[in-house]
Amino acid sequence: VPDVCVRSSLRLEQVPEGFVRKSDHVDEVSAIMSATYVDEHKRTVTVTAWHRIVRDDGRGDVQVCLHSTVGSMSTKVEKAARHWGPVHQSSIALDFIISNPRRGSRYTVEKVVVVTSNMGDTPRLRHISSPLLGKIDGQATSSMSTAPPMLAEIEEEHRSAWRSEWDRADIEVVGTRRALRFQRAVRLFRFHQVSQGILGTSKKGEPQIPELIDQVFRGLHGDLVDAQVQSDRPSVVVSSRLVVHDPRTPPVMRIEPNVPPACDRLQFNCALGGRWHRFTLTPGTVQILVQGPALGKETCTQLYRNEIHVPPTFIIPTQESDVGVEVRAIPWHEVQVQHALTDLGRPDGSAGGFYSLMRRTRFTRVEVLRRLLADWAPDEETQAYNDETITAPLRGALARLNSAPRPPGWRKGDNEDLHILDADASTKVRVLLEYEKKEMLRDITFLEGVFTPFEGSCGGGEDICEEAMTIKEARIRCTRIPGCRGFAFQGEPFDAPMPIRFKRSLEVAGVGWTGYRYTDGESALLDMLQQQHHERFLAKDRADTTMDEREASNPVREAPEAEDYLRPSAHGQVPTWEAFSDKVHEILEKVARKADDMQKACHGSFKPLRNFVTDRDGTVNNYCDRYSSSVQSAYNAAWLSHFARHCTDNAVFVTAAPLGGRPSAEGLMELSVAPRGGFTYSGSKGREYFDHHTQRVLEAQELPQEQRELIDELHRRVLALCSEPGNAKFLGIGSGLQRKFGEITMARNDPAGTVSEPESRRFMAAVRRIKEELDPDGTELDLHDSGTDMELFPRAAGGRGVFDKGKGVMCLDAKLQLHLSEGPNVVCGDTGSDVPMFVAALRALCGDKMVEAWSERIRKEDEPDLPDGVTEDLLRASSARIDPSLFSSSRDHYCESEVSHSESPEEVEQRAREQAERRAQEEEEEREARQAGSRLAVLFVISPEQHAKTPKLVDTVRRWCDISGAHCAILPSPDVLVAGLARFANSVAGHKVIDEDLRAIAAKASTEVDGARDVDGFELVVSDDAAASTADDVMHIPG
């Protein structure tokens, strides 16, 4: 058998431009060939080839020694010789010679080639020690292993080394398509940086990133990096979020935690203070993991290496604090900081998140009302209603709301109240937090007031006192001193204590002083509401028309009067805040004057109004996108309580929403913060109400026992269904789960379509299964699907009975002894469903007969013109419900047509007399009915946007009031209505709700006297009367 020779060559012809061969190496003992090339920048390329011989006799591969003899077969390795063929001068080669090979055996010469490179003075791979390849330093060394490496081993070692380098360099971005597009651009750029070893700052002469790659990154730079942060490298993503706060030892770094709206997670590694740190930023959380040390020359890639020499402490700013949260992480321990609101939670607050936050704000607001309306004055033991323990939680809650992440695609300048929260692990909900944030800010203004700084002398008023304290302490102290209107001090403001003078009045004159003028919370809030009214209505009207249009239409047109609001004469303009406030006050005074004469004579009550009946949402409370988070604000509850306490005998809320007051069935009771007993709350259009004496929910309309038990069991099962995994989100979206009187409402989606349609249908099918389990025959329960909500209610013969708020008011009148028939009454609403409430009040005041006649007259006016020969009288006479004698229009014509030619003149004259008497009686009855109707004030809130959707509503309200004699005011917002009620209450009580002076006087009087004492010839009596009076030599102090 002839000898076999296998030649292995390392051709050295085609090498990178600029590289020259530095050395080569051939080792016959271990069959290794190696060549190293270096350029002028000390960049090296090393090519190394290992060899081994393998024999297969049919029983598997067996490695054969390179120089060995087995029987007659032998192997050897030598430098390439011409005997076996020509040798290229530009290459190095080895000949593997196998003599007398065995017949039937297969011999294989395996060759493994490894190419390594270094990037000169920017060592990315030079520090890597390889047990297989030795030290990769640009040339083969004697430390190379004599045993040839396996391809799998080299591949795994290469992957491990690359993975280590890539993990440290990679910037991971997870999110929407914009984020993924940016991720691809960053990783492409980062790959070229790692491959060329230029992760650090670019140096002159180093290889640059290809122009195309650079342009791709620059084009997508603005997707996740602020526009003002300019950079041509992905490292800006890291450096813009890790900022040196204090370089002194120990160093402090500030983490900017907010990620772009399109990003769900941002993760990167960074060497700081000699250790690798991994940062994971998500909407609302920051995770820090301190890893192993940066070894050797690896520290040259450290961020801020000239400033940070030891592992730093981190500060994570939050919306709740200017200082932020300080974090110090230790090696191999992960720290997680929740810096923002991210979860939606459950409406009962049991799962944390947004709903839990709003529930805590309710407890704070309840405490505000408890302290504000208490009968004692605050002292050192009993804290004031506006101290730091109250305002700090509200400010923190507002900051948490502002910290909620933004939805994808949101940019600065978009709606500031639009956020996104996690309903569960797979569902994100877009939420509009306008109500929650706006009402929170109003409450803070109501509690703290406003301090306006100015420079100048503080003359013009006597000093109340002078104390040494800081400016922050002076603000708090100023709100505690009765009659204090501000404070002043010499010099510029600074944080240390200084002598401060508290003044009853402040005048600006001269120089050398700094002052703060104080506006109390109620006045400051009224100014804010007036400004918001102007921005919403008046400024918008100007923006909707051009200057040319305004000049062409009416260049000198003034703002319309309040009674012209939504009339054609107003030309679409909205009156001023002052006009509406005066209108509400005027109407209430008109009703109160009639009340003053009547009630004093009847039962001796000095409150100007008997009943205050109102809807809640959209009427006296601004609308909220989620009913479960529409917690009543403190200022709203204070003003309404002030009005109810001093102006009305009965204050009743009538809403279509669930009442609550039951375990696991929350509603209106859990959203109100006014003290219990001041209002009667009713839900489900008045069919159920909360009795403050028994502390129970009572029914104004009886519900059969079997239907009540069926609804209770249905509610229990649906609530259990919502507790299962994947279903909790349905409690927090849309209407959620509402337990009403004889009915259950369950949301399966919201108007924004947050839940996918398949998921929504799956949940609806689960609710249907519960219905079928409770009602297998389908005879007891019915389900109505609106597309977003499912309504489940007992099935009744002839369908569901019609029960509106008018019937609810009549039921409550009978149950609570409201005496609506005596009046005077104030009824407030905002939609067509609230019209029956004041119609019910008119029935009580004017009688059913007259209200039916007015109703028929309004209905006929709404119908088109009648055909010729058909009179309205004939149509009225044909009505089964209406007596034709109630109407006088066209009566003469009607009577003449009925006169028989056989009647004598005496009979005709008698008939005419009877008709005249009947007309006179009807006119007298209507006059008396209109006089009784004048004891009703109707205050309706209809915004311009709502008027565009329901244009007939305002006409319906005004026509009812015009025909019945009731006083009417149409208002554009709940803010105008509530502020008008508060203004009237202030005039009746003689003080504002936050007036500390009178409350302190009353509290002091109640502790120093027992019932009454003689003061300067008067008998001092502490009472709850609305205003101070000296009638019959008795001076009454408002309580």
Side-chain angles (χ1 to χ4, degrees), residues 159-235:
R159 289 182 179 275
S160 177
W162 176 261
R163 189 182 303 114
S164 176
E165 292 298 307
W166 182 252
D167 284 348
R168 293 167 179 171
D170 184 29
I171 299 175
E172 183 180 1
V173 183
V174 179
T176 62
R177 290 183 178 180
R178 290 177 57 205
L180 296 179
R181 187 168 61 243
F182 182 77
Q183 170 76 99
R184 289 192 293 268
V186 167
R187 282 184 167 168
L188 182 61
F189 199 107
R190 212 65 166 165
F191 169 77
H192 283 78
Q193 287 184 307
V194 174
S195 301
Q196 300 185 26
I198 53 174
L199 278 178
T201 57
S202 179
K203 296 182 180 180
K204 185 177 181 180
E206 285 188 350
Q208 299 298 316
I209 300 299
E211 182 65 23
L212 178 60
I213 306 301
D214 186 63
Q215 291 180 1
V216 169
F217 175 75
R218 289 174 180 270
L220 300 175
H221 175 271
D223 281 2
L224 270 81
V225 182
D226 294 337
Q228 62 269 22
V229 180
Q230 297 295 332
S231 177
D232 59 350
R233 295 200 168 209
S235 57

Side-chain angles (χ1 to χ4, degrees), residues 5 21 25 27 135 171 174 262 275 342 390 435 442 452 463 655 671 711 714 741 828 832 902 917 976 1036:
C5 177
R21 187 167 66 182
H25 173 78
D27 188 348
K135 186 74 171 179
I171 299 175
V174 179
R275 278 192 174 273
T342 58
I390 294 293
Y435 172 86
R442 291 177 176 182
T452 306
D463 293 349
T655 70
L671 300 175
I711 292 297
L714 177 63
F741 179 87
C828 305
S902 61
E917 292 174 358
V976 174
H1036 295 274

Side-chain angles (χ1 to χ4, degrees), residues 456-515:
S457 175
C458 60
E462 62 173 316
D463 293 349
I464 299 177
C465 61
E466 181 176 347
E467 300 180 14
M469 60 183 65
T470 64
I471 296 178
K472 182 178 180 180
E473 294 171 341
R475 287 171 177 261
I476 300 175
R477 178 69 173 138
C478 180
T479 62
R480 304 286 187 273
I481 302 177
C484 183
R485 293 296 175 262
F487 59 88
F489 52 87
Q490 284 185 322
E492 298 293 331
F494 55 93
D495 296 336
M498 67 187 81
I500 293 181
R501 297 182 181 180
F502 295 91
K503 312 278 291 184
R504 294 194 184 276
S505 63
L506 290 176
E507 296 181 2
V508 181
V511 294
W513 287 77
T514 301

